[in-house]
Amino acid sequence: MRVIRSIHSLRQVINKAKRQNKKIGFVPTMGALHDGHRSLLKKCRRENNLVVLSIFVNPQQFAPHEDYAQYPRDKKKDELLAKKENVDIIFYPSEEIMYPKGYLSYVTVESISDLLCGKSRPGHFKGVATIVAKLLNCVSPDILYLGQKDAQQAYILKKMIADLNFPVKVKICPIIRENDGLAMSSRNRYLTQQERKEAPILFQSLQEAKRKILAGERNLITISRLMESNIKRYSHGKLDYIECVDPGTLAPLAQIQKKFMIALAVKLGKTRLIDNIIIQIYAMGQRIK
Ligand code: PAF
């Protein structure tokens, strides 16, 4: 495994791999790696000859009041985990390399960046799209691997890739959960003991919504209210949003359709948690995925 810090050295290795017809898979991260990242790396390893992992805590996707300074950074642990997953290259650029003095260029994926998490995190997805565009230009992968937990991020990046003609295929991988259902996230480590006990309420309320829909409930307002009251009752969490959206466009839905996504964000203490499920209804049999 090589740890590469400069874009020039990375491109030399990538160009050599391309000349050898190697298929290049890429997993972008901000480090503090967990089993969710591992599942992306495992899939990437299975499907490619060269596995590139980037670790860069991107300042452009944090608002000034957010957790950029506290964001967990554990280079040694990350390197160990990457080695275990047979990563070939860790790209570890510095802030000066990615955003040198005088940096002026940004990527905005309009309108969909303002929905869901974008409402309470203005500018966040501009930061995400910009860094991923830059990383794609450095790594030139054949396949980019992203996680379904950050469903809006994945959707926005897919749109950016299509709109700007990046020659890369995108694969979205399933959410990996703790035993109690909490979606894995680097930010889970911020939770106090009490908050950690309460955190599975996000997934539990999604499951409860699914059960209600299975039992025939079709009113989205009733479902959102039920989820909200569960969150209030069983946690100290402050609800940011619960939304039912079309998974193909992220457009908010007024009515249940055959396939839809329920997404939510909850602030538990200082930690903002997100989760989602995609529900598919097969005719009147109401089989749910
Ligand atoms: O999901 C993340 O870890 C980040 O948003 C990403 C995609 C690595 C961009 O900084």
Side-chain angles (χ1 to χ4, degrees):
M1 185 176 79
R2 289 181 66 176
V3 179
I4 298 182
R5 291 171 187 281
S6 90
I7 297 174
H8 178 73
S9 310
L10 177 68
R11 284 199 174 130
Q12 278 185 331
V13 179
I14 296 285
N15 287 342
K16 187 172 170 205
K18 289 210 183 264
R19 281 196 301 274
Q20 294 168 338
N21 279 326
K22 286 190 175 165
K23 200 167 160 194
I24 300 169
F26 176 42
V27 180
T29 77
M30 298 205 297
L33 303 177
H34 50 69
D35 284 358
H37 297 116
R38 286 182 93 150
S39 76
L40 300 181
L41 289 169
K42 281 188 202 304
K43 188 165 169 66
C44 185
R45 180 74 279 168
R46 281 197 302 274
E47 297 180 351
N48 297 278
N49 310 109
L50 192 84
V51 172
V52 183
L53 161 73
S54 70
I55 298 181
F56 179 64
V57 184
N58 173 32
Q60 295 290 344
Q61 67 189 76
F62 292 81
H65 65 278
E66 290 183 342
D67 56 339
Y68 174 68
Q70 301 88 49
Y71 197 85
R73 293 159 170 89
D74 197 340
K75 186 169 169 275
K76 277 211 173 117
K77 219 168 148 196
D78 286 348
E79 278 187 27
L80 273 176
L81 187 143
K83 235 184 203 157
K84 269 194 195 151
E85 296 308 331
N86 280 316
V87 166
D88 296 302
I89 296 169
I90 301 183
F91 180 45
Y92 219 133
S94 65
E95 195 178 329
E96 294 69 42
I97 284 183
M98 293 320 270
Y99 300 111
K101 209 163 169 261
Y103 187 88
L104 287 176
S105 305
Y106 297 88
V107 179
T108 305
V109 181
E110 295 190 352
S111 83
I112 50 175
S113 295
D114 303 326
L115 304 171
L116 303 170
C117 291
K119 283 188 199 160
S120 54
R121 303 190 72 190
H124 168 68
F125 290 114
K126 176 180 166 190
V128 171
T130 300
I131 193 64
V132 174
K134 286 171 68 67
L135 290 167
L136 288 175
N137 280 334
C138 297
V139 180
S140 313
D142 296 286
I143 311 179
L144 169 69
Y145 295 84
L146 299 168
Q148 170 66 21
K149 191 193 70 98
D150 297 298
Q152 187 178 13
Q153 165 173 285
Y155 183 75
I156 287 170
L157 292 175
K158 268 176 104 171
K159 190 78 183 98
M160 175 192 80
I161 282 163
D163 287 354
L164 299 182
N165 310 103
F166 280 93
V168 61
K169 191 171 167 185
V170 183
K171 292 204 177 179
I172 314 290
C173 307
I175 299 177
I176 304 297
R177 299 183 180 280
E178 302 285 356
N179 289 338
D180 59 10
L182 175 64
M184 291 204 182
S185 161
S186 305
R187 288 190 167 99
N188 290 351
R189 62 184 78 185
Y190 296 156
L191 298 168
T192 63
Q193 240 180 10
Q194 179 58 31
E195 288 162 0
R196 177 62 190 81
K197 273 191 202 152
E198 295 177 6
I201 191 63
L202 276 80
F203 185 57
Q204 285 159 6
S205 63
L206 286 167
Q207 292 295 97
E208 172 78 356
K210 185 167 131 177
R211 274 194 296 274
K212 287 281 168 200
I213 293 160
L214 253 180
E217 179 59 66
R218 290 292 178 267
N219 187 322
L220 287 180
I221 297 174
T222 310
I223 289 166
S224 302
R225 285 202 185 129
L226 173 79
M227 290 175 69
E228 189 173 349
S229 77
N230 272 341
I231 289 162
K232 276 199 185 133
R233 190 156 161 209
Y234 297 110
S235 79
H236 294 87
K238 288 211 171 69
L239 185 67
D240 180 357
Y241 67 80
I242 294 173
E243 294 222 33
C244 299
V245 300
D246 183 319
T249 62
L250 297 188
L253 295 175
Q255 282 175 5
I256 280 188
Q257 58 184 36
K258 259 191 176 170
K259 190 174 180 185
F260 64 102
M261 181 166 84
I262 309 181
L264 80 166
V266 174
K267 192 108 188 264
L268 206 46
K270 289 187 178 141
T271 312
R272 192 169 179 283
L273 300 174
I274 56 173
D275 204 345
N276 66 80
I277 47 169
I278 292 178
I279 297 177
Q280 190 147 9
I281 304 175
Y282 296 91
M284 296 310 287
Q286 297 172 337
R287 197 152 62 82
I288 305 263
K289 222 181 184 178

